[in-house]
Amino acid sequence: TQALTTADFLASQGKTVEFFCDEFTPGYRIDNIDSNIRWPLFQRLFRERVKINTNSVVKEIKGSDVTVANTLTGEERVVSGIDTVVYCCGDRENNALYLALKGKVDDLRIIGDAAGPRKLVQATADGARVGREI
């Protein structure tokens, strides 16, 4: 989901975006609960003309050239003229702010990805739960 939403953000900023995904169906991990996110996200990606390459892995980044390979055929191709590469790989918590404030704030709660990698719906539920508790 992070890779697709990053592509969406960059495209919304007027950037030309080419998306590479090693999966056959990008975004398949967006489950039924998050399905109301999937449709509008892909509508925006296609409207912004994001080029989506499935079954593709980045093999090499050299200057402004990116070599990608098809995971099914092994066929490689070079995409030239790239000025920025964003590489998304896995989830990781980001709790630095929580740790910096721990012991300094009377009522400190940890929610969302600060508590651990989770989906948007879970992070939103965390925020709603803590909001009701406060």
Side-chain angles (χ1 to χ4, degrees), residues 85-118:
V85 174
V86 177
Y87 190 79
C88 296
C89 55
D91 299 332
R92 182 171 53 178
E93 69 186 33
N94 182 353
N95 60 5
L97 180 60
Y98 173 81
L99 294 174
L101 295 174
K102 192 173 179 178
K104 299 176 185 174
V105 176
D106 291 336
D107 187 7
L108 182 64
R109 316 285 179 100
I110 188 165
I111 62 170
D113 282 348
R118 58 197 62 222

Side-chain angles (χ1 to χ4, degrees), residues 6 11 13-14 17 26-27 32 34 38 47 51 53-54 56 70 80 91 96 111-113 116 127-128 134:
T6 300
Q13 301 298 306
V17 178
N32 291 332
D34 289 335
R38 184 184 306 122
R47 185 173 50 246
K51 184 173 181 183
N53 299 277
T54 61
S56 299
N70 184 289
S80 298
D91 299 332
I111 62 170
D113 282 348
I134 294 174

Side-chain angles (χ1 to χ4, degrees), residues 60-82:
E60 180 180 49
I61 302 169
K62 192 177 216 178
S64 64
D65 295 337
V66 176
T67 303
V68 296
N70 184 289
T71 59
L72 301 175
T73 66
E75 182 180 336
E76 293 187 1
R77 72 180 179 99
V78 176
V79 181
S80 298
I82 304 296

Side-chain angles (χ1 to χ4, degrees), residues 10-23:
L10 292 171
S12 76
Q13 301 298 306
K15 308 290 185 196
T16 300
V17 178
E18 188 161 357
F19 180 86
F20 298 96
C21 175
D22 64 349
E23 300 160 343

